[in-house]
Amino acid sequence: MIEYGYKKFIKEYGLRKISFIAAAVLTFTALDGLASSFSSGEALSEEETGNDVQLIDGNFIGIDEESASQISDGEYITVYKSDKINLTVSAEEKIAAVYIVWNTPPEEYSVNNNNITDGFLHKLIEFDDPIDAFTLRCENKTELCDIYLYASKVYPEETERWSDPCERADMLVLSTHADDEYLMFGGTIPYYAKEKGLQVQVVYLTTHWLEQPRPHELLNGLWKAGVKNYPVFGVISDIPLKPIWTLQEAAELYDFNEVLDWFTEQIRRFRPSVIVTHDKNGEYGHGAHKLAAKTVMDAVEISANADHFPLSAEKYGVWDVPKTYLHFWSENTITMDWEQPLESFGGITAREAASLAYGCHKSQHIWGYAVGYQENWDCRQFGLYRSLVGTDEKADFMDHIIPVDITEETAASEPVTEAKTSPAETSFAKTQSERTEISDTISSGQDSSNGYKSENDPSVYLIAAGVAIFAVIIIVLLINIIRRRK
């Protein structure tokens, strides 16, 4: 009798062999995924950096050999931890610059007695004249990933040369998590920051300091997207004990007043012409995304009133944001064109540029997300939630807005716009009753998700698939054990 399919396969190879083969394949796949997820930093070879880049080896005095290897291997996941650092670095060749990668933001440190207090996680320091050695000192407990030494001031593209955050922003982008800035907002950052050359300030609601290597991925992605001004990190950590799917859950987990205070301060500090942020329904229903949108919706109503959070008003003054956009807002809608080629990116589209930046977020690739136009994730769809300059005439966040550099050149005291009528006449901000209804959402515990449930999250299906595969392996193993006992 001829046997077909799985019966023949089982008879020839046996259940035990099949079980172990399946388990081995699954384990190898998982380990390979983890390795690709967490090996975010790699040493820069001469071939990768180009012939003009001179990356040189250093000698580290003041730490043991193992610690020296941790900060010279080009890997984010190997970290040198110390209560304080007093390190001398030398090289056989002259050192023109040093690139320091911290694992946690340093409060203050010095390089050759030059104090540095900006807290940048990735910091390039250039010396006026090439030197034989330098000292690195930090009196505070900190963590150090890597030190790169350059013999010339020619750097690989991946070497980030951050400027301070904007003094005045054309656009303020509030992203809840590291990677939302591309998945939800598509080509916004590469198009406006690099292609248009505008002052784009990115701020994150969450910090990710306890989720290494996500802070490094965040910076790598922004740099690849064309951002040059260092981002600002928020006041909450996104490691809840359970998933957040409602605004009420987010409000119970985090101090909403603290978050509102923080973002109101960002508005007053950067005085943006435009704000871009999340869907009030959390895109696929994420409660922290809803919290970000709620924060913006409330903050733009109070940022011009010094009675609200007076400390930041006294420090920066007050500011009334000319335009505020929400992802998927259903009124005054626009569809952004992210398929236009960008000259500054060599002709690839804005969506493709955003995808390249998202490619830096390797630890998040296990969820299977992509920059695209699928339902609940369409990164083109926005609505003008609030405006002081009238409705849009074209799909452009900067419609009716003159960029900051031009307004500063004309010495204007307030944003110059193309609108011919006064802000009071053109404003169509939400009425007081509508704003009250929005603000009451948290206190009432209601959640308007428009059907965006947690099961719409692609990660749910991936997890379910993993559980199903694991269950099949366990069942096969049990069957094998029972048959052997018989």
Side-chain angles (χ1 to χ4, degrees):
M1 185 175 70
I2 301 176
E3 294 178 279
Y4 296 94
Y6 74 94
K7 291 184 178 180
K8 180 179 180 181
F9 186 77
I10 289 174
K11 182 175 180 179
E12 291 182 357
Y13 291 95
L15 282 171
R16 174 181 287 186
K17 289 183 179 179
I18 296 170
S19 302
F20 282 125
I21 290 171
V25 170
L26 183 62
T27 302
F28 176 82
T29 303
L31 291 175
D32 182 66
L34 287 173
S36 62
S37 296
F38 292 102
S39 294
S40 299
E42 297 179 356
L44 301 174
S45 67
E46 185 173 341
E47 181 180 354
E48 292 170 325
T49 58
N51 294 329
D52 294 333
V53 176
Q54 299 181 50
L55 189 62
I56 58 179
D57 295 328
N59 303 310
F60 302 94
I61 304 172
I63 56 176
D64 56 48
E65 184 176 346
E66 180 181 357
S67 299
S69 66
Q70 291 174 334
I71 61 176
S72 60
D73 61 1
E75 295 285 347
Y76 294 148
I77 59 175
T78 55
V79 178
Y80 169 57
K81 301 179 181 180
S82 179
D83 291 335
K84 64 179 182 179
I85 294 176
N86 188 356
L87 178 64
T88 299
V89 182
S90 63
E92 294 182 0
E93 301 179 60
K94 293 283 188 178
I95 304 171
V98 56
Y99 186 51
I100 304 177
V101 179
W102 301 92
N103 201 49
T104 54
E107 295 180 12
E108 180 179 0
Y109 63 98
S110 66
V111 174
N112 277 359
N113 298 320
N114 295 317
N115 288 338
I116 300 172
T117 59
D118 55 29
F120 290 1
L121 209 61
H122 299 173
K123 180 70 174 181
L124 178 70
I125 301 168
E126 297 180 321
F127 303 111
D128 294 335
D129 297 306
I131 58 178
D132 296 314
F134 66 88
T135 58
L136 172 63
R137 294 187 179 92
C138 183
E139 297 298 324
N140 303 304
K141 186 175 182 179
T142 188
E143 299 178 1
L144 181 60
C145 289
D146 293 295
I147 294 179
Y148 298 93
L149 305 177
Y150 295 103
S152 68
K153 295 179 181 179
V154 179
Y155 312 110
E157 182 181 352
E158 293 78 11
T159 302
E160 299 158 16
R161 284 91 67 195
W162 291 106
S163 299
D164 291 332
C166 299
E167 291 187 9
R168 168 85 186 280
D170 290 304
M171 183 178 298
L172 186 64
V173 177
L174 175 61
S175 178
T176 302
H177 309 105
D179 73 5
D180 288 333
E181 65 270 48
Y182 314 111
L183 293 173
M184 306 306 163
F185 310 145
T188 298
I189 292 176
Y191 177 72
Y192 286 100
K194 189 170 184 179
E195 183 74 3
K196 304 297 289 185
L198 300 182
Q199 296 292 311
V200 176
Q201 182 62 51
V202 184
V203 298
Y204 293 88
L205 183 62
T206 54
T207 61
H208 297 305
W209 301 128
L210 301 178
E211 299 177 272
Q212 299 292 352
R214 292 191 74 177
H216 301 290
E217 296 171 341
L218 177 156
L219 292 174
N220 295 342
L222 286 181
W223 188 260
K224 188 173 287 290
V227 175
K228 295 297 184 288
N229 296 99
Y230 200 76
V232 172
F233 300 93
V235 291
I236 65 175
S237 177
D238 191 56
I239 311 182
L241 297 178
K242 63 177 182 178
I244 307 172
W245 296 113
T246 69
L247 191 57
Q248 180 66 21
E249 289 175 338
E252 291 174 354
L253 183 63
Y254 304 119
D255 184 340
F256 177 71
N257 195 62
E258 179 185 13
V259 174
L260 183 60
D261 184 0
W262 167 76
F263 189 69
T264 302
E265 180 177 352
Q266 307 315 308
I267 291 177
R268 291 167 174 171
R269 174 185 178 183
F270 296 114
R271 295 177 293 156
S273 299
V274 176
I275 291 178
V276 177
T277 197
H278 288 273
D279 170 27
K280 75 182 185 71
N281 296 317
E283 277 84 24
Y284 55 91
H286 200 303
H289 293 197
K290 297 176 185 179
L291 180 63
K294 174 74 171 80
T295 299
V296 170
M297 295 164 78
D298 282 9
V300 295
E301 303 293 347
I302 64 175
S303 58
N305 187 339
D307 292 335
H308 294 276
F309 306 117
L311 291 180
S312 63
E314 181 179 353
K315 183 176 182 179
Y316 297 109
V318 297
W319 184 254
D320 201 1
V321 182
K323 296 177 75 177
T324 302
Y325 288 89
L326 301 183
H327 192 204
F328 289 133
W329 184 250
S330 60
E331 301 175 25
N332 312 299
T333 60
I334 59 174
T335 300
M336 302 299 291
D337 178 13
W338 299 141
E339 294 305 317
Q340 54 185 307
L342 306 183
E343 183 179 351
S344 61
F345 285 89
I348 66 174
T349 68
R351 178 186 57 79
E352 289 169 335
S355 295
L356 285 177
Y358 175 65
C360 295
H361 294 260
K362 295 180 181 179
S363 68
Q364 302 307 296
H365 294 172
I366 58 174
W367 305 116
Y369 300 150
V371 179
Y373 310 139
Q374 58 271 38
E375 185 181 5
N376 300 346
W377 295 75
D378 192 333
C379 58
R380 300 170 299 179
Q381 307 301 329
F382 294 86
L384 183 56
Y385 166 71
R386 183 179 184 271
S387 176
L388 304 180
V389 296
T391 57
D392 290 330
E393 297 178 12
K394 54 185 177 181
D396 181 0
F397 293 145
M398 295 296 291
D399 193 23
H400 297 309
I401 297 291
I402 301 298
V404 166
D405 57 351
I406 297 178
T407 63
E408 290 179 345
E409 287 176 3
T410 59
S413 59
E414 294 184 1
V416 178
T417 70
E418 299 170 3
K420 297 180 179 180
T421 53
S422 67
E425 295 172 327
T426 60
S427 173
F428 60 93
K430 299 298 152 187
T431 65
Q432 183 61 44
S433 61
E434 289 174 308
R435 292 196 296 270
T436 302
E437 180 181 351
I438 293 170
S439 299
D440 287 343
T441 304
I442 285 183
S443 58
S444 66
Q446 297 177 353
D447 182 49
S448 55
S449 62
N450 287 349
Y452 295 170
K453 304 294 185 180
S454 60
E455 53 264 30
N456 286 338
D457 184 355
S459 65
V460 174
Y461 299 110
L462 291 171
I463 294 171
V467 171
I469 293 172
F470 182 78
V472 169
I473 293 174
I474 294 298
I475 291 172
V476 172
L477 288 172
L478 289 175
I479 293 173
N480 191 30
I481 293 172
I482 293 172
R483 289 187 60 181
R484 287 186 63 200
R485 289 183 176 179
K486 288 182 177 181

